[in-house]
Amino acid sequence: MPYEPPTHTVERSLRATTGAKIVAGVDEVGRGAWAGPVTVCAAVTGLRRPPEGLTDSKLLTPKRRNALAAELGGWVTAYALGDASPQEIDDLGMTAALRLAAVRALEGLPVRPDAVILDGKHDYLGNPWRVRTVIKGDQSCIAVAAASVIAKVRRDALMAELEAESDQYAAYAFGANAGYPSPVHKAALEELGPTPYHRLSWSYLDALPQWRHLKKVRLSAEAAALESGGQLGFDF
């Protein structure tokens, strides 16, 4: 399906209206997974023409996404990645875990950005960061699209490494589903239960009676409600 390529429009607007000189695009991957971290990438691209075909990582084939990520590694001005672990997600809730991962990514950049373009409609960063949220920013903003590709490829590789780490994890097929819901993943959970890499506060455990006793109770019911959507969907 044809799509409009991303542009520097939002970045130019931020530069003009706020005086920002360094603008980072920020995107996350892993929010709806059952296992693995949530990973955030912060990318600074300047105003140069991007590599051909850059767009939201979800619109790219794995082969094209991997090739583009390799190209982006040398094209971006700077990028950094931040993770929040399954345990941190369980303890803090997804919104706070996202902020933690994003701050880790932003603070990993060699220079602190003056402004941030954040994919989506919800500003989970807040003060002291100057944030512009953009719905579908991973499709429309070059820096956010670059961040989405780098984050996706990095997290997918991490999940494949977890699968290869031990024969015990092969049944979960993390290399194929990246920790997201899938029939194979659910079947492995039913038979073997969750691994140390699973999120134990999530509602998928409610459908697994023999493992339900492992579920962690969130400290904040409000935090649990914020990410209840998407936990049972097949999105990978």
Side-chain angles (χ1 to χ4, degrees):
M1 177 180 291
Y3 52 84
E4 290 294 322
T7 69
H8 289 300
T9 300
V10 177
E11 184 171 342
R12 291 183 189 277
S13 172
L14 276 169
R15 287 170 174 249
T17 59
T18 70
K21 295 182 179 180
I22 300 173
V23 179
V26 170
D27 198 17
E28 56 77 23
V29 63
R31 187 193 303 237
W34 286 348
V38 62
T39 298
V40 173
C41 179
V44 178
T45 65
L47 299 175
R48 292 171 296 151
R49 182 188 297 273
E52 186 70 26
L54 177 64
T55 188
D56 171 16
S57 64
K58 295 186 292 296
L59 300 178
L60 299 168
T61 65
K63 181 179 179 180
R64 178 57 184 144
R65 193 163 54 226
N66 288 334
L68 194 53
E71 189 174 355
L72 287 168
W75 175 80
V76 297
T77 303
Y79 78 90
L81 290 144
D83 293 322
S85 69
Q87 292 74 28
E88 288 171 327
I89 294 169
D90 287 336
D91 292 342
L92 301 173
M94 181 54 76
T95 301
L98 275 172
R99 186 178 196 280
L100 182 63
V103 169
R104 286 169 173 166
L106 288 164
E107 291 184 343
L109 291 170
V111 181
R112 184 183 178 93
D114 303 309
V116 174
I117 304 172
L118 187 62
D119 181 51
K121 64 181 180 179
H122 174 58
D123 176 10
Y124 55 77
L125 263 172
N127 292 326
W129 304 94
R130 178 184 288 166
V131 176
R132 174 79 60 86
T133 57
V134 179
I135 296 173
K136 294 188 177 180
D138 47 11
Q139 294 183 35
S140 61
C141 302
I142 287 172
V144 180
S148 79
V149 172
I150 294 170
K152 172 66 173 168
V153 169
R154 192 264 193 182
R155 187 181 181 279
D156 282 359
L158 174 64
M159 297 306 295
E161 289 169 7
L162 293 182
E163 179 180 338
E165 183 179 290
S166 168
D167 291 342
Q168 175 186 353
Y169 302 140
Y172 299 88
F174 290 150
N177 60 48
Y180 282 84
S182 76
V184 171
H185 191 172
K186 183 178 180 182
L189 279 166
E190 289 176 340
E191 180 180 355
L192 303 172
T195 71
Y197 301 110
H198 279 87
R199 303 169 188 181
L200 298 181
S201 58
W202 284 50
S203 60
Y204 70 84
L205 280 172
D206 294 336
L208 302 172
Q210 67 273 46
W211 306 110
R212 195 179 298 155
H213 64 285
L214 298 176
K215 187 173 182 180
K216 289 186 177 179
V217 178
R218 281 262 168 73
L219 295 178
S220 167
E222 180 182 359
L226 284 172
E227 67 263 15
S228 61
Q231 291 185 21
L232 299 178
F234 287 65
D235 179 16
F236 61 92

